[in-house]
Amino acid sequence: MTEATRNANWWKGAVIYQIYPRSFQDTTGNGVGDLKGITQRLDHVAALGADAVWISPFVKSPMLDFGYDVSDYLAVDPLFGTLDDFRALLDRAHALGLRVIMDQVLSHTADQHPWFLESRESRDNPKADWYVWADARPDGNVPNNWLSVFGGSSWQWEPRRGQYFLHNFLRQMPDLNYHNPEVQQAVLDTCRFWLDMGVDGFRLDVCTFYAHDLELRDNPPNPNIPEGEAFRFNPYSQQQHVYDIARPETVAFLEKLRALCDGYGDRALLGELNESDAVRIHREYTAVKRLQLAYGYWLTGAHHISPRMLRDVARDLGHDDDSGWPCWAMDNHDFSRAITRLGAEDRPEEVTVILAALSCLRGAMCLYQGSELGLPQAEIPHDRIIDPYGKEFWPAYKGRDGARTPMPWQEGAPHSGFSEVDPWLPVVSEHAELAVSKQEALPGSTLNRMRQFLTWRQDKAVLREGGMEFIETTENVLSFRRMLGDCVITCAFNFGGQEEVVHLPEAEVGPAMEGHGFGGVRRGDDVRLPAYGAAFFERGS
């Protein structure tokens, strides 16, 4: 591994490349990506300057939510390969200096999981209390007003027990009962299995959902319903989710999971905070001996990202020595791609400079597969939509399929080199035009600019682990210092489409740094930043 990834704090400032296995590379000819395909393409990730890969779920699942409904935590789904295939992936990643972060879906299972099959049979079997069960109200109605993220009540009737069970997502995804110590131990044993195999950490899916209010109190109405397309079609946002998620018992469990990981020396936990009060939750969840990293939806749903917005979020999260470490993310498998969301399909350099800025802020950064190519959101015909979320809310919401289409690898090849057969989701023509092989041949392509910048940044400890101070400049410029020991790097990023001039005297910031690929030119004490440009200066060493 590289020097940057050997130490126990490798996760500080890490660039974590998210791989959606179904859409990365098909090697079996079934139209679905697999573990051997990931192994085959890891050189692409290493060449990009990433430090780790986060691999979305690949364990056994009925695939109603494409792996986020687990039926066996300890087995690879045959669709993706075998345990030996995963061991080979680990070996190859580690040989390339890449850490491997495994997606763990611990808040719920599939209703086909053996634990649930036993739990639902009666009220007195050994696993009767492993899931969240509740009696009907006197009128037969659901136990309370809690809502599912995927629409409707979060309670489903089970005739075998004559009770309702809780599901925060699909009804086929029942919630585990974290108030039961046996459940917590079973989950920890699951994680230990993969840690023993050599994974370098876990991305914890919806980790604010682990525990629930034992009294099953109704959620109060939300007086501040957020705006935007994601909130108009789904009543979920009309409640304040104070009793069904983000309960204090979850933090206690995270401390146990952190203790387990700390026993392996250098493993890291990355939490997903899907909670409206994510800034407050971030402070709580990334406290000492809890999560090393966590991300919220500060940017993934944004239709405009400005320097002021990033400064405000960073200041709210905290960026002093006592603050937790955020993980910045603009895209992932659950949100539309940033190029389209920001209206930047004709100017991908706008997103490139924002990603560069995120990688230099205090914290780690997640880079979703295809972001390095500047892929726009794919338009999927209605008859090809398979995402259950999209099916439920079409046409108000088209679902997540448009962000999950296959990677375009080879220009001119069938299905852009992803598969030899028709893939599970189509490779749209706009993506085929941005294939890896085509961009590799173009010096100024989005891919080559991202490679140049991230590899330039990779060995600069101050940009990975240093403290941070913001510098007030013009409206379109994000500027800050990163400090580590005697070394100070000053960064300036122009988010606007016009040249900007910022006052950064060389006597204060030091000489300009070279090799990053962004064009900033000094004129006396001023620095001229071209549209979507950046400049970097170093003082000390």
Side-chain angles (χ1 to χ4, degrees), residues 65-218:
D65 195 27
F66 306 108
Y68 286 92
D69 47 330
V70 177
S71 58
D72 187 343
Y73 282 112
L74 306 183
V76 171
D77 195 280
L79 185 69
F80 299 124
T82 66
L83 279 174
D84 284 340
D85 292 334
F86 183 66
R87 291 186 180 98
L89 187 160
L90 277 173
D91 289 343
R92 180 58 181 158
H94 290 161
L96 290 169
L98 293 168
R99 301 276 182 164
V100 177
I101 297 174
M102 178 184 176
D103 213 326
Q104 284 284 22
V105 188
L106 305 178
S107 72
H108 54 266
T109 70
D111 61 2
Q112 297 181 25
H113 196 291
W115 296 348
F116 185 75
L117 295 179
E118 183 173 352
S119 184
R120 74 180 183 183
E121 284 302 314
S122 68
R123 301 189 187 193
D124 57 2
N125 67 77
K127 290 186 171 56
D129 195 33
W130 278 46
Y131 292 80
V132 183
W133 297 97
D135 292 330
R137 288 178 173 176
D139 62 0
N141 214 330
V142 294
N144 60 25
N145 72 346
W146 296 354
L147 295 172
S148 164
V149 175
F150 282 15
S153 171
S154 59
W155 295 98
Q156 176 67 29
W157 182 252
E158 172 48 63
R160 293 170 183 82
R161 288 182 56 134
Q163 285 183 306
Y164 286 97
F165 66 83
L166 180 68
H167 63 92
N168 278 297
F169 300 93
L170 292 177
R171 64 175 179 80
Q172 297 91 346
M173 293 156 62
D175 272 55
L176 287 163
N177 178 17
Y178 272 79
H179 295 282
N180 185 335
E182 292 181 353
V183 170
Q184 293 191 26
Q185 188 57 53
V187 168
L188 292 172
D189 290 344
T190 289
C191 294
R192 183 179 291 106
F193 173 86
W194 295 103
L195 291 167
D196 286 342
M197 192 175 294
V199 300
D200 300 288
F202 302 116
R203 179 263 183 182
L204 302 177
D205 183 64
V206 297
C207 66
T208 58
F209 283 73
Y210 289 174
H212 66 286
D213 176 46
L214 277 174
E215 297 179 40
L216 303 182
R217 287 170 283 187
D218 282 350

Side-chain angles (χ1 to χ4, degrees), residues 322-391:
D322 296 327
S323 300
W325 283 68
C327 188
W328 302 99
M330 284 181 70
D331 303 271
N332 64 35
H333 62 291
D334 282 332
F335 291 88
S336 60
R337 289 190 175 271
I339 287 280
T340 299
R341 207 174 60 244
L342 300 181
E345 292 184 353
D346 60 343
R347 52 183 193 284
E349 61 272 19
E350 177 181 348
V351 174
T352 300
V353 75
I354 296 174
L355 286 171
L358 296 180
S359 74
C360 292
L361 288 171
R362 182 182 181 275
M365 181 182 77
C366 282
L367 186 69
Y368 182 46
Q369 65 181 51
S371 295
E372 75 275 23
L373 306 178
L375 296 187
Q377 181 79 352
E379 188 68 29
I380 307 298
H382 181 225
D383 62 353
R384 291 294 301 268
I385 291 289
I386 57 178
D387 176 21
Y389 205 9
K391 286 182 176 181

Side-chain angles (χ1 to χ4, degrees), residues 263-448:
Y264 289 80
D266 58 354
R267 313 302 167 90
L269 297 172
L270 166 62
E272 178 190 24
L273 308 180
N274 35 351
E275 155 65 28
S276 59
D277 194 12
V279 168
R280 177 185 63 81
I281 295 295
H282 184 276
R283 289 178 179 271
E284 182 180 3
Y285 278 44
T286 57
V288 176
K289 299 304 179 185
R290 295 173 185 169
L291 304 176
Q292 283 96 339
L293 298 167
Y295 73 90
Y297 297 163
W298 312 299
L299 307 181
T300 50
H303 290 265
H304 177 67
I305 297 175
S306 67
R308 177 172 294 279
M309 175 188 182
L310 289 182
R311 286 196 301 269
D312 289 347
V313 173
R315 284 168 175 159
D316 288 344
L317 293 173
H319 50 82
D320 54 30
D321 291 342
D322 296 327
S323 300
W325 283 68
C327 188
W328 302 99
M330 284 181 70
D331 303 271
N332 64 35
H333 62 291
D334 282 332
F335 291 88
S336 60
R337 289 190 175 271
I339 287 280
T340 299
R341 207 174 60 244
L342 300 181
E345 292 184 353
D346 60 343
R347 52 183 193 284
E349 61 272 19
E350 177 181 348
V351 174
T352 300
V353 75
I354 296 174
L355 286 171
L358 296 180
S359 74
C360 292
L361 288 171
R362 182 182 181 275
M365 181 182 77
C366 282
L367 186 69
Y368 182 46
Q369 65 181 51
S371 295
E372 75 275 23
L373 306 178
L375 296 187
Q377 181 79 352
E379 188 68 29
I380 307 298
H382 181 225
D383 62 353
R384 291 294 301 268
I385 291 289
I386 57 178
D387 176 21
Y389 205 9
K391 286 182 176 181
E392 181 71 21
F393 293 113
W394 181 278
Y397 175 62
K398 297 180 180 179
R400 301 165 293 180
D401 292 331
R404 299 176 173 186
T405 55
M407 276 283 287
W409 294 104
Q410 185 66 42
E411 181 184 14
H415 312 295
S416 295
F418 166 74
S419 178
E420 296 179 357
V421 301
D422 190 33
W424 74 290
L425 285 173
V427 179
V428 298
S429 59
E430 294 85 354
H431 288 191
E433 289 296 315
L434 297 170
V436 170
S437 67
K438 183 175 182 178
Q439 293 205 37
E440 284 179 329
L442 299 173
S445 68
T446 300
L447 172 60
N448 281 324

Side-chain angles (χ1 to χ4, degrees), residues 458-489:
Q458 192 172 35
D459 64 353
K460 292 172 177 54
V462 65
L463 293 179
R464 302 170 66 94
E465 300 185 40
M468 184 170 68
E469 292 177 352
F470 286 102
I471 302 170
E472 292 298 329
T473 57
T474 62
E475 180 181 355
N476 289 326
V477 173
L478 178 69
S479 187
F480 50 87
R481 301 181 187 90
R482 300 293 307 274
M483 306 85 67
L484 186 65
D486 295 330
C487 184
V488 179
I489 291 181

Side-chain angles (χ1 to χ4, degrees), residues 54-67:
W54 148 24
I55 305 176
S56 289
F58 53 84
V59 296
K60 194 170 182 181
S61 164
M63 298 294 168
L64 293 180
D65 195 27
F66 306 108

